[in-house]
Amino acid sequence: MDPEVSAVRLTVWEAVHILSSSEDGGRIFCTLGSLKRYLGETENSALPEEQEEFARIHFSTFLRCLVGKLSPDWLELLPDGQMEELWASFFLEGPADQAFLVLMESIEGAASPSFRLMKMARLLARFLSVGRMAAVMEGQCRQQAGPAFPLLQETLLTKVVGLPDLLGNRLQRENLATFFPQNYFPLLGEEVLRVLQVVVDSLRGGLDCSVSFLSQVLGKACVHGRQKEVLGVLVPRLTVLTQGSCLWQRVCWCLVERVPDWAMEAVLKGFVEAAPGPEVLSRLLGNLVTKSKKAQFVMTRKLLFLQYSCTPRPVPPLGSPGWAGSVCLADGERTPALSQMPMLQSLLGYLAMDSQRRSLLMQALKELLETWGSSSAIRHVPLVQQCYVSKAILICLAHLGEAELRDSQDELLASLMEGVKSRLDSSLPPVRRLGMIVAEVASARIHPEGPPLKFQYEEDELTREMLALAMPQPTADGPSEAGPSFAPVSGETPDRETVDRSGPQVGPEGSDSELDSDDEFVPYDMSVDREQRSSKAPSYVRGCLEALTGSEDWEHWEAALRALEGLIFRSPAATQEVSVELAKVLLHLEEKTAVAGFEGLRQRALVAVTVTDPARVAEYLTAQFYALNYSLRQRMDILDVLTLAAQELSRPGRLGKAPQRGSPDPGSQPGGAVVPAWRAVVEERVRRKTRRFSKGSVGRAPAVGPNEFNSVAGYFFFPLLQHFDRPLVTFDLLGGDQLVLGRLAHTLGALMYLAVNTTVAVPMGKALLEFVWALRFHGDARGREGPRRGLQAAGSEGTTASGEAPRQAPPALLSLAPDPQEACPAGRVRAGGQHVGRRCSWYSLECLRLSEDSASGPRVLPATDWDWDVASEAWAPGRLLSPVPPCSLQTAELGPLGLGAS
């Protein structure tokens, strides 16, 4: 045996014997001092071979002996804490990995609570504060040439990352602040940075190092959910260090590439969330997604479809401008619109920064569009995640160029069109709006030479945020492979200020701009000016008909459309001669120019024609409702016109003062002169100078008169029920056209309400009952909800306060009537169709009883507490007024039906 090696062993055995048996403080102090020469910290240090043998074979055994001697009496053998300082120096100056393992072993094995446990915990806190954790990890990075010790590395990895949990379990309430997770993991991040600096310096000096252990520490810490604490320290420092150093970039790439697969997802998610932009993420990760299949799966699939994360904003108050931008869930509860833009822009921008990664960006766009358009995903995926995927699609389109999109144009358009169809068929307004926004932007980018898609939707904060994502993001680093900048969907040309800003700025010469100012002039009053038109509006109904059918003068065509409603009410006899032909022209009329309020002008003209000649026009419109070659929009327009015309016919006091709602002829009042109200001035003077001793009732008697809808109600109602169960080639009410079916049921309920106290009400009620009974088990929510809403007000008006069942009804139907005071939670649609069918049938029977009891006069009873679903807002044509029920001599507006109320 080598005498020098045996001398180290004998010295250690003698020191252990003295520590175990001696109580002499001086002797113990000298023995410990002699052993410190093997640590290399004294002037007469031992030979390197002796130091290596001591560290490799004897150091752990000696430390365990020191821990075993730790007691209050033993530390007091020397005054002024000399013994404790000498004892602690072996842990703080010896091999860091062995000292750390002995410290953790003694803490786990000590009785709790005890003097030894607290001493060892404080020594461990001191061990961390002087940077010895960096020495632990540095020792593992320098073991490149020596043999690998997997068991030792695994033990160190578990102790290093699990230290806060181990110390928390042992110390309980006596735990030190250094070991709290929010304090320990930022410290661990700083120690990792210190070791990385040592690695970079070693590489510059020509020495080999490994960062595998650091990658494992980083991965295990992120798996434990500490990405924010560790990467919150690492990423900002690495961002600065990698900005001007290729060596630092290579070290950082190696650090991430050697993360184990089981921790890759947690690490990448932490980097994407912590990186301030795609440029930084590209410097930190490099082409990791092209080298690691696991990283590619995480970046292109997991983070885009499953691990979506977001920062919530508070829900704005009800009725505020931002309330519409919040997402409405299925149960009526609203959750805030969420902001995921920084993470998405960093992730997708990273894929677009390098030419080797752009193919993955195109692949991600295809998969995003496929998922976005899946009908199953639309039904089952939360609205928050659907919004996240929609934003990801817009960001991908902003980063891809026209050439790249053109190569996959057919595939992208097919996925887009399928998704648009599925989303527009949804009954949830937020889902439909997402489909409209993405369809507008994507169609303009994927197929710019084709006709653009245009939709009408409410613009709010979420809409503006998503449209802003379509704009290209500026890139500071990396190759600029992105396509040309994305133009706005609306096709607006950039304003002059924006164009001028991109070119050289040339300032005005002199100060002529100040001298040419017109601020001192008083502007003209142009409030009553009218637009000068070259063509005059027609003066007769036939002239309007000819202008709408054959005129090529668009100004004359627009003037005829604006004047038509007023001419219809002023010339009812002339209108009745061409009423059916005029209704046909208006029903097929298309907007040839950009006319403000075109849909309103066309609808009001159709309503005026129907009111003027109700029997013939209603017979024509109801026949066209089930005809071929009509769009769903035209069929719903027919239902709207019938409802509004029936309301106008049942309005009390309509005769003798026909409404003049048509736009006045621009040439009827030349110059825009206003006639002075001299009569009102005279009456006001007389009123002020007249002394009255008493006043009668100031309330006016309600307007009365015959109900004109009484004689024509059958033309409006019964033809709509004739062919609802007969499918056509382009129209199937009981199939895929549930939206029109719900509108039809709503219209029938409105017509039933307006004819409650008329002679035809009993047959109408029976027919409506048969129609509702056929829909009680309809598979779509709108098919079940429409009849209930259409008959809701009529049922509430006919319900007695005691809740008695309808008279003269079959016993089988009487057993289905629910409690009239039963409340339904707001915004919910019954999951089963049977309950809705029962309630609709009960309402129909109440309508029958009300029509038979019309002689007893109207009843005004409390309305039911139904709160209608937000989804109905998409097909409500407009709000109508007044909650007074109609009767044979006095009718009211269609209030309880609440068309358009939500």
Side-chain angles (χ1 to χ4, degrees):
M1 180 178 295
D2 193 344
E4 294 182 352
V5 174
S6 61
V8 175
R9 180 178 300 161
L10 290 175
T11 303
V12 173
W13 285 353
E14 182 180 358
V16 171
H17 177 70
I18 293 173
L19 290 175
S20 303
S21 60
S22 177
E23 295 295 336
D24 186 358
R27 187 180 180 188
I28 294 175
F29 185 82
C30 293
T31 302
L32 294 179
S34 64
L35 288 178
K36 288 200 66 175
R37 57 190 293 267
Y38 294 111
L39 299 180
E41 300 294 336
T42 60
E43 296 180 358
N44 52 346
S45 300
L47 297 175
E49 295 82 2
E50 294 179 345
Q51 296 181 19
E52 181 182 356
E53 180 188 357
F54 178 77
R56 183 166 52 87
I57 301 176
H58 307 291
F59 185 66
S60 298
T61 305
F62 179 69
L63 289 183
R64 291 188 182 94
C65 179
L66 289 179
V67 172
K69 292 299 296 182
L70 183 63
S71 65
D73 297 336
W74 190 79
L75 293 179
E76 293 176 356
L77 293 177
L78 292 177
D80 301 330
Q82 297 180 25
M83 184 67 75
E84 182 177 359
E85 189 64 28
L86 182 60
W87 171 81
S89 64
F90 284 91
F91 291 91
L92 300 178
E93 298 173 5
D97 52 351
Q98 298 185 50
F100 176 72
L101 289 177
V102 171
L103 282 173
M104 296 298 297
E105 177 186 337
S106 60
I107 290 175
E108 293 177 6
S112 178
S114 64
F115 172 82
R116 179 179 298 178
L117 176 62
M118 295 309 301
K119 278 293 182 182
M120 299 304 297
R122 292 190 180 93
L123 179 60
L124 179 59
R126 185 178 173 187
F127 182 89
L128 297 177
S129 64
V130 297
R132 296 298 289 169
M133 184 59 73
V136 173
M137 294 184 288
E138 181 184 344
Q140 299 303 312
C141 293
R142 291 187 181 277
Q143 287 184 358
Q144 189 77 1
F149 299 98
L151 183 59
L152 174 62
Q153 288 191 352
E154 184 65 27
T155 304
L156 281 174
L157 181 64
T158 303
K159 303 294 184 183
V160 168
V161 179
L163 187 145
D165 296 334
L166 296 174
L167 269 295
N169 290 334
R170 293 300 297 157
L171 298 180
Q172 299 291 333
R173 297 181 181 275
E174 303 296 329
N175 196 9
L176 304 180
T178 307
F179 306 135
F180 291 169
Q182 61 269 26
N183 298 329
Y184 173 75
F185 284 103
L187 174 65
L188 184 62
E190 294 177 357
E191 300 295 272
V192 170
L193 274 174
R194 191 174 302 172
V195 178
L196 288 176
Q197 182 65 60
V198 173
V199 171
V200 170
D201 295 339
S202 299
L203 293 176
R204 286 173 179 165
L207 299 177
D208 292 336
C209 287
S210 173
V211 294
S212 298
F213 184 75
L214 294 181
S215 300
Q216 295 180 23
V217 170
L218 180 62
K220 198 172 186 67
C222 291
V223 167
H224 283 201
R226 298 299 172 180
Q227 299 103 320
K228 184 177 179 181
E229 290 85 351
V230 177
L231 296 178
V233 175
L234 275 176
V235 171
R237 294 287 303 279
L238 290 177
T239 301
V240 178
L241 293 171
T242 57
Q243 191 167 7
S245 174
C246 296
L247 182 58
W248 266 104
Q249 291 185 19
R250 293 296 300 274
V251 170
C252 188
W253 296 350
C254 291
L255 176 68
V256 183
E257 288 172 6
R258 303 198 178 188
V259 170
D261 286 346
W262 50 265
M264 185 65 74
E265 179 183 345
V267 173
L268 289 181
K269 184 179 180 182
F271 268 99
V272 172
E273 291 177 347
E279 302 86 1
V280 174
L281 194 62
S282 182
R283 290 204 307 267
L284 298 182
L285 302 183
N287 287 330
L288 176 65
V289 291
T290 62
K291 301 177 182 178
S292 171
K293 291 293 184 182
K294 178 68 174 181
Q296 179 178 334
F297 174 76
V298 171
M299 296 289 279
T300 60
R301 297 284 298 178
K302 208 72 177 287
L303 295 182
L304 288 178
F305 298 98
L306 300 177
Q307 294 291 339
Y308 66 98
S309 63
C310 39
T311 303
R313 296 191 299 265
V315 180
L318 179 63
S320 62
W323 185 81
S326 57
V327 180
C328 179
L329 302 179
D331 57 356
E333 184 178 344
R334 284 190 173 257
T335 188
L338 302 176
S339 174
Q340 310 95 346
M341 288 192 298
M343 177 178 173
L344 275 176
Q345 289 174 339
S346 297
L347 172 59
L348 298 175
Y350 161 75
L351 296 178
M353 288 292 293
D354 189 85
S355 57
Q356 298 182 17
R357 303 192 293 260
R358 291 186 70 83
S359 59
L360 298 177
L361 181 64
M362 175 59 72
Q363 177 185 348
L365 176 60
K366 294 178 182 178
E367 294 174 351
L368 284 168
L369 278 175
E370 183 180 355
T371 303
W372 180 80
S374 172
S375 57
S376 176
I378 293 174
R379 290 194 302 268
H380 300 98
V381 173
L383 288 177
V384 178
Q385 187 174 359
Q386 295 187 39
C387 182
Y388 182 85
V389 173
S390 301
K391 291 181 179 180
I393 292 174
L394 297 182
I395 297 175
C396 288
L397 291 172
H399 284 294
L400 290 171
E402 290 185 4
E404 295 169 307
L405 294 173
R406 194 180 302 113
D407 294 339
S408 305
Q409 187 181 72
D410 296 337
E411 183 179 355
L412 295 176
L413 278 179
S415 300
L416 176 65
M417 292 300 103
E418 183 180 357
V420 171
K421 179 181 179 300
S422 301
R423 288 190 172 273
L424 293 183
D425 287 342
S426 175
S427 59
L428 296 177
V431 176
R432 293 199 300 270
R433 184 170 56 174
L434 286 177
M436 296 174 188
I437 297 172
V438 175
E440 283 189 358
V441 177
S443 62
R445 292 286 287 126
I446 297 174
H447 192 54
E449 62 273 8
L453 293 178
K454 297 292 293 181
F455 298 95
Q456 293 181 355
Y457 48 83
E458 182 182 357
E459 184 176 354
D460 56 6
E461 183 181 357
L462 179 61
T463 303
R464 291 188 293 270
E465 180 181 355
M466 294 188 65
L467 291 178
L469 292 179
M471 303 301 294
Q473 301 298 324
T475 56
D477 295 341
S480 179
E481 301 277 348
S485 61
F486 173 69
V489 180
S490 58
E492 299 173 355
T493 58
D495 55 4
R496 183 166 185 171
E497 180 184 354
T498 306
V499 176
D500 293 344
R501 193 179 301 142
S502 61
Q505 300 291 332
V506 180
E509 299 179 3
S511 58
D512 293 340
S513 58
E514 298 179 0
L515 299 177
D516 294 339
S517 176
D518 296 335
D519 294 341
E520 67 272 12
F521 296 109
V522 179
Y524 288 105
D525 184 11
M526 305 179 67
S527 58
V528 295
D529 283 7
R530 294 182 179 275
E531 183 181 355
Q532 296 278 341
R533 294 184 180 271
S534 58
S535 44
K536 184 180 179 181
S539 301
Y540 302 98
V541 175
R542 286 186 179 273
C544 291
L545 183 60
E546 295 173 359
L548 293 176
T549 53
S551 176
E552 296 296 335
D553 185 359
W554 304 128
E555 289 190 1
H556 186 57
W557 182 86
E558 180 181 351
L561 181 60
R562 293 186 179 278
L564 181 57
E565 183 187 9
L567 292 175
I568 290 174
F569 282 116
R570 285 198 294 268
S571 305
T575 303
Q576 291 175 359
E577 297 176 1
V578 294
S579 58
V580 177
E581 184 178 358
L582 185 59
K584 181 178 180 181
V585 171
L586 290 172
L587 184 60
H588 295 83
L589 192 63
E590 296 180 356
E591 186 178 5
K592 299 181 179 180
T593 60
V595 180
F598 168 78
E599 293 295 338
L601 293 172
R602 172 172 163 269
Q603 186 184 69
R604 289 199 298 269
L606 266 173
V607 172
V609 174
T610 309
V611 170
T612 304
D613 194 3
R616 292 199 299 167
V617 177
E619 185 177 1
Y620 168 75
L621 292 178
T622 52
Q624 299 306 305
F625 180 74
Y626 291 106
L628 290 172
N629 299 327
Y630 278 91
S631 65
L632 298 183
R633 178 70 265 172
Q634 287 176 307
R635 300 182 197 275
M636 290 191 288
D637 287 343
I638 291 174
L639 297 177
D640 294 344
V641 169
L642 291 176
T643 302
L644 296 174
Q647 179 195 1
E648 181 63 29
L649 289 170
S650 63
R651 184 170 58 85
R654 196 185 72 85
L655 294 179
K657 51 174 184 177
Q660 301 293 333
R661 292 171 296 180
S663 300
D665 187 359
S668 60
Q669 295 181 2
V674 180
V675 180
W678 58 268
R679 187 182 299 276
V681 176
V682 173
E683 290 180 355
E684 179 64 22
R685 290 178 181 175
V686 172
R687 187 187 63 80
R688 286 203 307 264
K689 295 184 179 181
T690 303
R691 184 178 181 185
R692 302 182 184 274
F693 296 98
S694 64
K695 293 183 179 180
S697 176
V698 296
R700 290 185 178 181
V704 296
N707 188 347
E708 292 185 65
F709 188 57
N710 182 20
S711 58
V712 295
Y715 294 99
F716 285 70
F717 185 83
F718 293 108
L720 294 177
L721 290 172
Q722 287 182 350
H723 307 298
F724 75 92
D725 55 346
R726 298 181 186 179
L728 301 177
V729 178
T730 59
F731 186 49
D732 187 5
L733 274 177
L734 300 182
D737 299 324
Q738 296 93 349
L739 182 63
V740 184
L741 178 63
R743 181 74 69 86
L744 173 62
H746 197 208
T747 301
L748 293 173
L751 297 176
M752 179 69 205
Y753 175 80
L754 295 170
V756 163
N757 292 308
T758 60
T759 56
V760 76
V762 174
M764 289 174 64
K766 294 179 180 179
L768 186 58
L769 175 60
E770 295 178 0
F771 174 74
V772 170
W773 190 259
L775 300 180
R776 70 190 187 280
F777 293 120
H778 197 278
D780 190 81
R782 288 173 294 195
R784 301 191 304 268
E785 186 74 2
R788 192 264 300 172
R789 295 187 50 203
L791 297 172
Q792 173 186 336
S796 63
E797 292 295 339
T799 306
T800 61
S802 61
E804 59 182 355
R807 292 183 288 106
Q808 300 178 359
L813 294 180
L814 287 176
S815 63
L816 298 179
D819 183 8
Q821 305 300 330
E822 177 187 357
C824 181
R828 292 177 183 245
V829 178
R830 297 285 183 175
Q834 183 175 3
H835 185 83
V836 177
R838 293 177 178 178
R839 181 171 283 274
C840 295
S841 306
W842 179 63
Y843 282 153
S844 302
L845 294 174
E846 287 293 318
C847 295
L848 289 176
R849 186 178 61 78
L850 180 62
S851 61
E852 295 174 358
D853 294 346
S854 58
S856 61
R859 301 182 177 91
V860 181
L861 296 173
T864 57
D865 53 357
W866 292 93
D867 191 2
W868 296 332
D869 193 13
V870 179
S872 64
E873 297 175 0
W875 53 275
R879 185 186 299 274
L880 302 175
L881 308 174
S882 182
V884 183
C887 61
S888 59
L889 294 179
Q890 176 180 343
T891 58
E893 303 291 342
L894 199 55
L897 286 175
L899 293 177
S902 60

